[in-house]
């Protein structure tokens, strides 16, 4: 049995992702069996003028994403700021398109000039059924790590065919992850 580090759920030994919360099971956990559940992860929440981050309704994960991109020199030009990624359309109306993610925040959606929506990853030509929302999701880069976050889309965002992401709750990404937006399947790669 493999214990999920995020929620403590017990999963079959063949699992790569938690059956309960969809989190990726760490490689070192896969070799541990029948261990008692570890304490849940806790986050230190700094105070903001007498109020903690969680007391004002901001999840600790969002607070941790607000750190500078590079801790090496603090100006965003260190080695972590140069980490880039790509999304490749694997299944959709037009497969094979590739989008380079070289910004700290890359929006995924459909182009809509009338409403001023110009996403970095424009899936308009890949999604003839309009299953991708205009503002569907975004990929965030923080300290050389990547996260995907649903932006309240109609048809949802999924990572590795796990549970639907809750809007505003970033899910970490690793090289090779599959991201599904609407009916369009994307493959995430760090380049």
């Amino acid at each position: 049995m493999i214990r999920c580090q995020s929620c403590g759920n017990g999963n079959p030994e063949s699992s790569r992702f938690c059956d309960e919360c969809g989190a990726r099971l760490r490689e070192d956990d896969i070799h541990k069996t029948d261990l008692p559940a570890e304490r849940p992860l806790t986050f230190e929440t700094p105070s903001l003028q007498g109020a903690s981050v969680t007391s004002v309704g901001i999840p600790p994960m969002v607070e941790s994403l607000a750190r500078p991109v590079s801790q090496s020199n603090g100006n965003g030009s260190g080695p972590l700021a140069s980490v880039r990624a790509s999304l490749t359309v694997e299944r959709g109306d037009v497969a094979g398109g590739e989008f380079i993610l070289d910004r700290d925040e890359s929006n995924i959606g459909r182009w809509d000039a009338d409403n001023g929506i110009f996403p970095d990853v424009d899936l308009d030509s890949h999604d003839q059924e309009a299953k991708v929302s205009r503002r569907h999701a975004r990929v965030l880069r923080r300290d050389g790590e990547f996260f995907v976050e649903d932006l309240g889309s109609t048809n949802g965002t999924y990572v590795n065919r796990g549970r639907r992401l809750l809007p505003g709750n970033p899910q970490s990404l690793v090289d090779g992850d599959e991201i599904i937006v609407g009916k369009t399947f994307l493959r995430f790669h760090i380049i």
Side-chain angles (χ1 to χ4, degrees):
M1 177 176 291
I2 304 168
R3 292 276 176 205
C4 175
Q5 294 295 312
S6 297
C7 70
N9 184 53
N11 296 282
E13 291 197 31
S14 60
S15 297
R16 291 183 53 208
F17 301 96
C18 178
D19 292 337
E20 182 63 29
C21 69
R24 181 180 287 273
L25 299 173
R26 297 188 331 204
E27 287 297 320
D28 55 334
D29 292 336
I30 292 175
H31 302 293
K32 298 177 185 175
T33 57
D34 297 323
L35 295 177
E38 294 183 24
R39 292 184 333 184
L41 296 176
T42 58
F43 299 91
E44 292 182 29
T45 54
S47 64
L48 300 171
Q49 298 177 350
S52 72
V53 172
T54 53
S55 71
V56 294
I58 301 172
M61 179 65 173
V62 173
E63 183 273 328
S64 70
L65 292 175
R67 294 184 305 230
V69 173
S70 173
Q71 294 181 356
S72 62
N73 60 16
N75 66 7
S77 62
L80 296 177
S82 64
V83 175
R84 297 185 328 154
S86 69
L87 288 176
T88 305
V89 178
E90 288 194 335
R91 191 162 74 187
D93 293 334
V94 181
E98 181 177 30
F99 300 92
I100 302 299
L101 309 175
D102 56 1
R103 299 172 46 185
D104 289 340
E105 185 175 306
S106 299
N107 292 309
I108 301 171
R110 289 185 298 115
W111 188 78
D112 182 1
D114 293 339
N115 292 308
I117 301 170
F118 307 101
D120 305 298
V121 179
D122 178 14
L123 297 175
D124 195 42
S125 64
H126 301 274
D127 179 44
Q128 300 301 316
E129 294 181 49
K131 297 294 183 183
V132 174
S133 297
R134 287 176 179 85
R135 290 187 178 104
H136 198 101
R138 68 178 158 198
V139 176
L140 305 165
R141 176 181 63 189
R142 300 291 185 262
D143 295 328
E145 295 182 48
F146 290 88
F147 302 86
V148 64
E149 176 183 15
D150 185 82
L151 298 176
S153 65
T154 301
N155 293 308
T157 303
Y158 303 85
V159 177
N160 297 318
R161 303 185 191 207
R163 291 185 177 213
R164 182 178 179 154
L165 299 183
L166 295 174
N169 290 321
Q171 165 81 36
S172 63
L173 293 171
V174 296
D175 189 55
D177 277 349
E178 177 186 65
I179 301 171
I180 303 172
V181 290
K183 286 188 174 180
T184 304
F185 291 62
L186 305 166
R187 184 67 60 185
F188 173 81
H189 288 290
I190 295 175
I191 53 175

